[in-house]
């Protein structure tokens, strides 16, 4: 029996250890039998070490039984590898362990996919056998990065005077715009807890309670419609600050981002650039703009006010615009490429797409005849086009063509390979509208959540023109993803009531749903504000992963299912009876469809 106390991990051994007797424990990564001489790589989370069992050794019989994923203990002497067998790719590649004792601690069935190679495996299989998938070094690296990022964030916020405070998981509905997950109460039959969509109300109450600076790395739950890269439970770094101004929040957040990204080896320059929501929509067609490709969208309406081309002229006359962006070096796009982009524009709701390019000194355009050479050339120049470039133009109401051009911009950027995952471009987006009109419900919905303060000079608009009121809200975007979002809050009970009323929540309803919070607001509430970071997305971006599932140990599928644990699942009749619940079988797709989606 080997003393199963390891002297080193499988990632530790170096040339300095040559001559020492060591004990290593781990999994068999790979075995090679060279006619009696058996090599195997032993693996743990720290690395791989090559072990040798010499031909004719007393251990040969045990070694011959080894298969991938067996758990073994090895004792042996560290030897230097000869120059030609050194493996520069392995941290332990200069040495190997010559086994003097070998013990199989546990056998393993043949895994459904190899752990020792990066062969493509369906995500379904990976998630079903997540305990095996998590043995793969790439996934382990992501989880370790996640640990380092959150640890660094905790230290940073502590240094900045923040206190981490836990808030309830079993609570009441918090309005973040999604459906709640409900938990029936057995002791209060017919009553339900809601899982928090965020700790929003609690963190504001902590400010009222004088805690000054709150932080929490916290799980949030939102029962939203299924989307490819969304998780029903996700992790936020949730922050709230008393006596906050936008400038103070930005400074604290920028410091946190610097600290977290340093863990991924990324040096972040601050302060971050800022765009208002209106600027972001006009220049990038998105409220979470990706700044990497440049390619700002320009307004070229001035060239077409008197245009003979009715598509342009009418759009402008009806209060719309002609806007577009230049794709560098894209004059060489084929007819098929241009047709593809036009089709995408149509599918996104635009009436069409006009292209203009300059190649070999000549201007070409899909609207050359209709719009005329001179105005198109002027528009091309005004948008910054040069020889070899392509200008893509859309005409129509500004709000309609902005997101269309925004999407096309990203399609072209992807094609032109302008979206390097190693390039990190942060941008604050501020001055969001406070409300958005819900045509379905015929009422205003909050663009963030109902506790967001209007800009002070916009408070009168709450009565006269709510759609024009701007919010003291801010999002931090990175490479086209929103990685944090928050606001300065309403701290006056009267303004809060007024906002509830605009959202169609009567005083009675507000009292029933948020009475405790409205009461609390009346007892000396400091001005305050905060933000929440999306940990999953931040770590995914740092790890260079497209999906947040790659940085979550036990994620759910895009269908909101935990394939390994088999959740959700039916429960026993008896459990239902205790809860006073009976399951009706009459569900239809309509019953479970979201009426509203939050971006
Ligand atoms: N509770 C907000 C959210 O989860 C963040 C905030 O306003 O601080 O999006």
């Amino acid at each position: 029996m080997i003393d199963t106390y390891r002297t080193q991990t499988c990632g530790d051994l170096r040339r300095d250890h040559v001559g020492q007797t060591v004990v290593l424990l781990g999994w068999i990564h790979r075995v090679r039998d060279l006619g009696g001489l058996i090599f195997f790589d032993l693996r743990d989370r720290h690395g791989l070490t090559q072990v040798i069992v010499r031909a004719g050794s007393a251990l040969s019989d045990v070694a011959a039984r080894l298969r991938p994923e067996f758990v073994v203990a090895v004792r042996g002497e560290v030897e230097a590898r000869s120059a030609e067998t050194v493996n520069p790719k392995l941290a332990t590649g200069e040495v190997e362990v010559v086994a003097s004792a070998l013990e199989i601690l546990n056998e393993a069935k043949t895994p459904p996919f190899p752990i020792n190679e990066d062969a493509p495996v369906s995500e379904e299989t990976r998630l079903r056998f997540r305990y095996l998938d998590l043995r793969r070094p790439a996934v382990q690296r992501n989880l370790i990065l996640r640990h380092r990022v959150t640890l660094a964030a905790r230290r940073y916020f502590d240094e900045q005077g923040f206190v981490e405070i836990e808030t309830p998981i079993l609570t009441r509905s918090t309005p973040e715009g999604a459906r709640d997950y409900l938990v029936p109460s057995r002791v209060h039959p017919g009553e339900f807890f809601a899982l928090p969509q965020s700790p929003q109300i609690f963190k504001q109450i902590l400010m009222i309670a004088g805690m000054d600076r709150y932080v929490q790395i916290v799980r949030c739950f939102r029962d939203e419609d299924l989307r490819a890269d969304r998780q029903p439970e996700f992790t936020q770094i949730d922050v709230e600050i008393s006596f906050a101004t936008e400038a103070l929040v930005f400074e604290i957040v920028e410091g946190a981002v610097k600290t977290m990204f340093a863990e991924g080896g990324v040096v972040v320059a601050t302060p971050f650039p800022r765009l208002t929501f209106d600027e972001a929509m006009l220049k990038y067609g998105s409220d979470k703009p990706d700044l990497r490709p440049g390619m700002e969208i320009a307004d070229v309406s001035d060239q077409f006010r008197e245009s003979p081309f009715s598509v342009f002229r009418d759009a402008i006359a009806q209060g719309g615009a002609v806007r577009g962006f230049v794709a560098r070096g894209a004059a060489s796009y084929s007819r098929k490429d241009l047709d593809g982009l036009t089709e995408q524009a149509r599918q996104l709701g635009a009436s069409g797409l006009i292209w203009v390019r300059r190649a070999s000194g000549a201007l070409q355009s899909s609207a050359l005849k209709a719009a005329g050479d001179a105005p198109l050339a002027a528009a091309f120049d005004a948008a910054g086009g040069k020889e070899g470039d392509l200008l893509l133009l859309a005409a129509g109401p500004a709000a309609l063509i902005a997101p269309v051009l925004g999407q096309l911009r990203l399609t072209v950027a992807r094609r032109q390979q302008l979206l390097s995952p190693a390039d990190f471009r942060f941008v604050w987006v501020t001055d969001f509208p406070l409300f958005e009109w819900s045509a379905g419900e015929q009422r205003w919905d909050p663009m963030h959540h109902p506790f967001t303060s209007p800009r002070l000079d916009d408070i009168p608009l709450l009565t006269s023109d709510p759609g024009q009121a701007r919010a003291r809200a801010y999002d931090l975007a990175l490479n086209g993803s929103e990685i944090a979002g928050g606001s300065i809050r309403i701290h006056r009970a009267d303004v809060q009531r007024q906002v509830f009323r605009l959202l169609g929540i009567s005083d009675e309803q507000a009292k029933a749903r948020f009475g405790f919070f409205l009461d609390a607001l009346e007892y000396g509430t400091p001005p305050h504000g905060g933000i929440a970071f999306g940990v999953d997305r931040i770590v995914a971006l740092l790890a260079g992963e497209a999906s947040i599932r790659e940085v979550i140990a036990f994620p759910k599928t895009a269908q909101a299912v935990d394939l390994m644990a088999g959740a959700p699942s039916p429960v026993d009749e008896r459990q239902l009876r205790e809860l006073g619940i009976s399951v009706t079988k009459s569900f239809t797709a309509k019953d479970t469809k979201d009426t509203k989606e939050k971006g």
Side-chain angles (χ1 to χ4, degrees):
M1 277 286 271
I2 300 178
D3 178 2
T4 49
Y5 180 84
R6 63 180 176 189
T7 56
Q8 265 88 12
T9 72
C10 296
D12 282 340
L13 297 180
R14 300 288 183 276
R15 200 167 259 285
D16 291 353
H17 295 94
V18 169
Q20 291 184 19
T21 297
V22 296
V23 174
L24 299 181
L25 302 177
W27 287 262
I28 299 291
H29 192 63
R30 195 176 282 121
V31 204
R32 281 149 305 179
D33 186 341
L34 306 180
L37 170 65
I38 295 177
F39 287 93
F40 60 88
D41 287 333
L42 197 62
R43 185 194 70 236
D44 64 16
R45 136 165 118 65
H46 306 276
L48 287 179
T49 301
Q50 174 163 289
V51 182
I52 298 186
V53 177
R54 296 235 155 95
S57 147
L59 306 175
S60 295
D61 287 352
V62 190
R65 288 174 47 215
L66 296 178
R67 295 286 172 273
E69 302 314 307
F70 278 28
V71 184
V72 303
V74 181
R75 187 171 52 231
E77 189 170 322
V78 182
E79 288 192 0
R81 294 205 210 179
S82 61
E84 61 280 9
T85 58
V86 163
N87 181 350
K89 286 197 210 119
L90 272 191
T92 62
E94 287 198 293
V95 297
E96 58 200 0
V97 173
V98 181
S100 54
L102 174 64
E103 194 179 320
I104 295 175
L105 301 178
N106 214 340
E107 301 193 348
K109 296 211 269 192
T110 303
F113 51 87
I115 313 296
N116 57 14
E117 51 189 81
D118 275 337
V121 184
S122 80
E123 190 171 42
E124 190 184 325
T125 308
R126 289 180 56 201
L127 292 182
R128 196 174 292 284
F129 297 93
R130 189 64 164 171
Y131 41 87
L132 296 175
D133 191 37
L134 287 178
R135 283 187 193 167
R136 306 212 290 180
V139 195
Q140 294 192 339
R141 262 198 305 276
N142 288 348
L143 294 186
I144 294 163
L145 174 66
R146 184 182 179 114
H147 160 72
R148 303 218 65 79
V149 167
T150 48
L151 185 65
R154 273 208 170 90
R155 282 209 198 101
Y156 170 83
F157 282 106
D158 176 58
E159 280 159 14
Q160 299 292 320
F162 286 77
V163 179
E164 181 157 14
I165 303 174
E166 290 166 271
T167 50
I169 292 296
L170 295 177
T171 179
R172 293 181 74 112
S173 180
T174 32
E176 293 281 359
R179 276 213 178 81
D180 291 321
Y181 278 99
L182 296 176
V183 180
S185 162
R186 182 182 54 81
V187 276
H188 300 287
E191 297 187 9
F192 294 81
F193 294 104
L195 302 183
Q197 291 187 35
S198 83
Q200 186 62 35
I201 294 181
F202 287 100
K203 67 173 174 173
Q204 290 191 238
I205 286 184
L206 287 169
M207 296 303 100
I208 300 174
M211 288 310 301
D212 199 46
R213 289 185 167 197
Y214 145 95
V215 67
Q216 185 181 192
I217 301 186
V218 65
R219 207 69 67 80
C220 301
F221 306 85
R222 295 183 193 175
D223 186 1
E224 292 181 285
D225 267 358
L226 305 172
R227 272 208 218 156
D229 205 24
R230 204 171 245 180
Q231 289 283 307
E233 52 180 307
F234 57 94
T235 306
Q236 289 189 340
I237 301 177
D238 195 38
V239 170
E240 199 71 11
I241 306 165
S242 286
F243 311 111
T245 58
E246 284 86 342
L248 178 64
V249 175
F250 291 2
E251 192 187 316
I252 290 172
V253 167
E254 288 173 0
V257 169
K258 241 188 203 323
T259 306
M260 289 191 275
F261 277 69
E263 294 298 324
V266 177
V267 179
V268 171
T270 55
F272 300 147
R274 296 177 196 178
L275 289 170
T276 64
F277 171 82
D278 288 345
E279 286 168 343
M281 291 310 292
L282 282 179
K283 288 191 184 161
Y284 303 101
S286 165
D287 62 358
K288 35 181 188 289
D290 192 332
L291 301 191
R292 287 173 295 175
M295 300 203 300
E296 282 182 19
I297 299 166
D299 193 319
V300 293
S301 307
D302 279 351
Q303 318 303 333
F304 301 109
R305 287 189 198 284
E306 313 291 329
S307 176
F309 187 31
S310 63
V311 173
F312 284 179
R313 195 185 57 237
D314 293 352
I316 299 166
Q318 286 157 17
V322 182
R323 305 179 60 83
F325 63 90
V326 168
R328 293 269 167 251
S332 55
Y333 278 17
S334 68
R335 195 56 202 228
K336 191 160 154 257
D337 296 332
L338 295 167
D339 288 348
L341 289 168
T342 308
E343 184 49 34
Q344 189 188 357
R346 287 218 180 90
Q347 277 178 9
L348 291 164
S351 58
L353 189 70
I354 301 295
W355 56 263
V356 189
R357 67 183 172 202
R358 186 168 279 146
S360 316
L363 193 84
Q364 301 166 356
S365 168
S366 53
L368 199 59
K369 277 211 193 90
D373 189 89
L376 288 171
F380 189 81
D381 293 341
K386 302 264 176 323
E387 167 70 25
D389 293 347
L390 172 74
L391 169 67
L392 296 173
L393 292 175
L400 183 120
I401 58 174
V404 176
L405 288 167
Q407 287 292 331
L408 290 175
R409 176 178 170 270
L410 292 179
T411 305
V412 172
R414 227 167 275 129
R415 242 200 93 135
Q416 303 289 98
Q417 300 191 324
L418 298 173
L419 303 179
S420 160
D423 183 11
F424 293 90
R425 299 288 301 275
F426 297 88
V427 57
W428 285 109
V429 181
T430 64
D431 297 271
F432 284 83
L434 189 59
F435 303 115
E436 52 193 348
W437 182 250
S438 159
E441 308 274 323
Q442 284 293 300
R443 57 142 210 257
W444 294 107
D445 274 333
M447 189 118 171
H448 274 75
H449 52 58
F451 310 107
T452 300
S453 174
R455 282 178 45 145
L456 299 183
D457 35 354
D458 287 359
I459 290 184
L461 291 171
L462 295 184
T463 19
S464 59
D465 193 358
Q468 291 304 313
R470 282 157 305 168
R472 293 182 74 184
Y474 32 75
D475 278 357
L476 181 60
L478 167 59
N479 294 358
S481 293
E482 179 196 328
I483 61 162
S487 59
I488 302 297
R489 323 298 183 188
I490 297 168
H491 67 278
R492 276 173 35 193
D494 57 334
V495 180
Q496 187 63 75
R497 272 198 204 92
Q498 196 181 358
V499 167
F500 280 149
R501 265 180 242 132
L502 275 169
L503 299 177
I505 304 173
S506 68
D507 287 358
E508 294 70 48
Q509 284 168 326
K511 201 163 169 353
R513 285 174 65 189
F514 313 112
F516 66 105
F517 178 65
L518 287 169
D519 288 346
L521 281 180
E522 315 238 25
Y523 286 91
T525 300
H528 60 286
I531 196 159
F533 298 79
V535 172
D536 308 298
R537 174 59 56 202
I538 288 174
V539 180
L541 286 165
L542 262 180
E545 297 285 6
S547 163
I548 58 173
R549 291 190 289 276
E550 297 298 338
V551 300
I552 299 173
F554 300 106
K556 298 190 176 47
T557 63
Q559 303 304 313
V561 169
D562 178 340
L563 288 174
M564 184 185 75
S569 66
V571 296
D572 288 349
E573 254 320 301
R574 199 175 58 109
Q575 277 179 300
L576 288 177
R577 232 178 297 119
E578 275 180 344
L579 295 166
I581 287 181
S582 76
V583 176
T584 65
K585 299 280 181 211
S586 60
F587 278 115
T588 64
K590 193 171 136 283
D591 291 327
T592 57
K593 188 141 175 47
D594 266 359
T595 48
K596 172 177 183 287
E597 275 200 12
K598 225 195 139 195

